[in-house]
Amino acid sequence: KDYKTAGQRIATPVKQFNVKNGALQTITVFDRLFADRINCVPMKNIKQLYPNGIDMADAAWIIRRLLETCEFLWSFGVVHGSITPDHVLLNQDTHAAILIGWTHSVKSGSVIQTASSEWRDFLAPEITEKRAATTETDVYMISKCLQWLVGDRINDPKFSQVKNLMYGCQMKSSAGRLNPTQVYKMFGKILEDLYGTPKFRFLKLKE
């Protein structure tokens, strides 16, 4: 994996400071022009343009980028802890997927103290149950992002292998889940069987 490229998919903070809001949180401040400068939009905007979800082939590049970044974080023992549609910035021209929203991030093996109530359905059980988070915590949320992106298409029989793979990412115990490298390889093989050699697909993300 090109970890240098994966590292570029993580926003660079301008400043960090601690606040007490029920629990101690570290707030990260990014350049307010960051998203505009790299011509990105939040992934959550996709449902405004595509209420019924997007094609699996279009969702594929987004999920592959997130898995690559997850592998990069894994190599440093870091868990993002909140990979949800509002914390992913997408570029329709370069197919970049950049993670923001680092308030909840922890070292692997630590407990995530805070969580977003807006995206509660995306949270791995260990987050809501205050158990130790691992890289598989992020894998769980990435799989939820895929299901959110494609909507009911996930139930199409031709995507049964993808659905089974997502099941392997969402086991209640993080120890029973697949790691990001396993998911990346298995997802890639399924996509190749479905669509052949990967090709660039333009996905409109702005009106």
Side-chain angles (χ1 to χ4, degrees):
K1 284 284 177 283
D2 183 354
Y3 284 138
K4 181 178 179 181
T5 301
Q8 292 171 350
R9 297 178 188 142
I10 299 173
T12 302
V14 175
K15 184 178 181 181
Q16 290 185 319
F17 57 93
N18 294 330
V19 298
K20 190 69 176 291
N21 182 19
L24 184 66
Q25 292 179 263
T26 299
I27 304 299
T28 305
V29 179
F30 297 94
D31 183 341
R32 67 184 180 86
L33 298 179
F34 177 79
D36 290 338
R37 187 166 65 244
I38 58 176
N39 195 30
C40 285
V41 297
M43 190 170 81
K44 68 178 183 179
N45 290 12
I46 282 181
K47 282 299 179 74
Q48 296 174 12
L49 292 175
Y50 307 96
N52 297 319
I54 60 177
D55 190 275
M56 183 68 73
D58 291 315
W61 67 263
I62 299 173
I63 298 305
R64 287 167 68 96
R65 297 297 180 274
L66 291 177
L67 287 169
E68 289 168 359
T69 303
C70 186
E71 283 186 287
F72 173 77
L73 296 176
W74 186 23
S75 70
F76 287 94
V78 174
V79 180
H80 181 277
S82 189
I83 302 180
T84 52
D86 59 332
H87 288 159
V88 179
L89 299 178
L90 301 175
N91 184 299
Q92 63 186 14
D93 301 314
T94 65
H95 277 192
I98 298 175
L99 277 179
I100 60 173
W102 292 86
T103 303
H104 315 283
S105 61
V106 296
K107 291 182 179 180
S108 184
S110 301
V111 175
I112 296 173
Q113 298 295 338
T114 59
S116 171
S117 58
E118 181 181 359
W119 302 98
R120 188 174 180 82
D121 290 345
F122 285 72
L123 303 180
E126 58 269 24
I127 296 178
T128 56
E129 296 172 6
K130 300 299 181 185
R131 293 187 276 112
T134 65
T135 188
E136 288 77 20
T137 302
D138 284 343
V139 168
Y140 181 103
M141 289 183 280
I142 292 172
S143 70
K144 285 288 188 176
C145 285
L146 174 58
Q147 293 174 319
W148 180 86
L149 284 166
V150 301
D152 289 339
R153 289 176 177 81
I154 195 70
N155 296 318
D156 188 316
K158 71 179 179 180
F159 297 133
S160 60
Q161 286 185 295
V162 178
K163 191 172 183 179
N164 289 337
L165 179 59
M166 295 305 98
Y167 176 79
C169 297
Q170 295 174 18
M171 303 290 286
K172 181 174 176 59
S173 170
S174 61
R177 295 179 207 141
L178 299 168
N179 67 46
T181 300
Q182 292 172 318
V183 179
Y184 186 90
K185 290 179 179 178
M186 295 171 70
F187 190 45
K189 178 63 169 62
I190 293 170
L191 292 171
E192 186 176 351
D193 290 344
L194 286 169
Y195 302 109
T197 304
K199 298 180 179 63
F200 186 92
R201 290 170 60 97
F202 180 79
L203 175 64
K204 181 181 177 181
L205 296 174
K206 295 181 179 180
E207 289 289 3

